[in-house]
Amino acid sequence: MPTLVVTEVVYLLGTRLGWEAEARFLGDLANGAFTLEPVHPADALRMVELVAQYHDLPLGSVDASVVAAAERLGVTEIATVDRRHFSVVRPRHVSAFELAPS
């Protein structure tokens, strides 16, 4: 999980599901349930391209960081509730992402 995603996840959990869900996620994060992936300089350059290319969605920097990290790491499956954005984006390494949950 790119580090930029954490802020978005805790915000969405806290505002939509409450503090308990937010705290549970933070606990899972602290216990190593997720691997945090830093944003590399090359990722930032790719994010610029993606935000510009998909400005009509708009894609946004957090989603662009997911795409950039997935491309760099060869990840083909994305866990998301944002099917609208990730079903449109065409990564460099595969024709389309597999989206979970399906």
Side-chain angles (χ1 to χ4, degrees), residues 68-91:
E71 289 175 344
R72 178 171 46 78
L73 298 170
V75 172
T76 59
E77 185 176 20
I78 302 292
T80 184
V81 294
D82 187 359
R83 299 185 78 76
R84 183 176 145 246
H85 287 164
F86 288 104
S87 64
V88 172
V89 173
R90 295 296 168 242

Side-chain angles (χ1 to χ4, degrees), residues 46-69:
R46 179 62 173 141
M47 290 164 58
V48 170
E49 294 172 359
L50 290 162
V51 167
Q53 180 178 354
Y54 295 101
H55 69 273
D56 288 340
L57 284 178
L59 184 63
S61 59
V62 172
D63 290 350
S65 75
V66 171
V67 174

Side-chain angles (χ1 to χ4, degrees), residues 9 13-14 26 28 35 39-40 48 53 58 80 82 86 93 99 102:
V9 169
L13 288 172
L26 291 170
D28 289 344
T35 302
V39 176
H40 291 219
V48 170
Q53 180 178 354
T80 184
D82 187 359
F86 288 104
H93 65 304
L99 302 180
S102 51

Side-chain angles (χ1 to χ4, degrees), residues 31-47:
N31 289 326
F34 303 99
T35 302
L36 290 179
E37 185 63 31
V39 176
H40 291 219
D43 294 346
L45 291 175
R46 179 62 173 141
M47 290 164 58

